[in-house]
Amino acid sequence: QVRVADYGGGSVQAGGSLRLSCSATGYSWSNTCVHVAWFRQAPGKQREGLAVIDTFTGKAVHDDSIKGRFTVSQERTKKAVYLQMNALKPDDTGMYYCAARRLCGPSALVPALFETWGQGTQVTVSP
């Protein structure tokens, strides 16, 4: 059973950087199609998809809203997926979640499609 755990949030000033980590375990990275995605939910707003990576192929897709500032990557030996966030803005404040789904091929950043979720990690960006 696929399990994910997200961490690494914190408080930073605008313009700063953070790297979030997601531990994705319970499956073989060498022969199982699993997509791991990052989502964000700001207070009073819907959960939005930021980026997704196919942990089998390493192919990543980023939402247009964060292209150029956020980058998703993975480290196979650690069974970890990261979200590097640069040039942070106050609007980036929110709870960040990693999520996983078993899928081979393209994946859409739709929360309902993902089966397993982390507990969330808070990111706060001050002006």
Side-chain angles (χ1 to χ4, degrees), residues 4 26 51-52 61 68 71 80-82:
V4 294
V52 60
V61 175
T71 304
V81 172
Y82 305 106

Side-chain angles (χ1 to χ4, degrees), residues 46-93:
Q46 289 189 331
R47 194 166 295 187
E48 60 176 330
L50 303 176
V52 60
I53 189 165
D54 182 332
T55 61
F56 183 58
T57 66
K59 181 176 174 59
V61 175
H62 297 80
D63 187 77
D64 287 345
S65 66
I66 51 89
K67 274 184 181 176
R69 294 194 303 126
F70 293 7
T71 304
V72 65
S73 63
Q74 64 182 27
E75 191 169 358
R76 286 180 167 273
T77 57
K78 295 186 178 180
K79 296 187 176 181
V81 172
Y82 305 106
L83 185 67
Q84 178 66 43
M85 305 186 295
N86 299 325
L88 283 161
K89 308 172 184 178
D91 284 349
D92 293 319
T93 293

Side-chain angles (χ1 to χ4, degrees), residues 2 23 44 55 74 91 102 105 109:
V2 179
S23 170
T55 61
Q74 64 182 27
D91 284 349
R102 289 184 178 268
L109 281 167

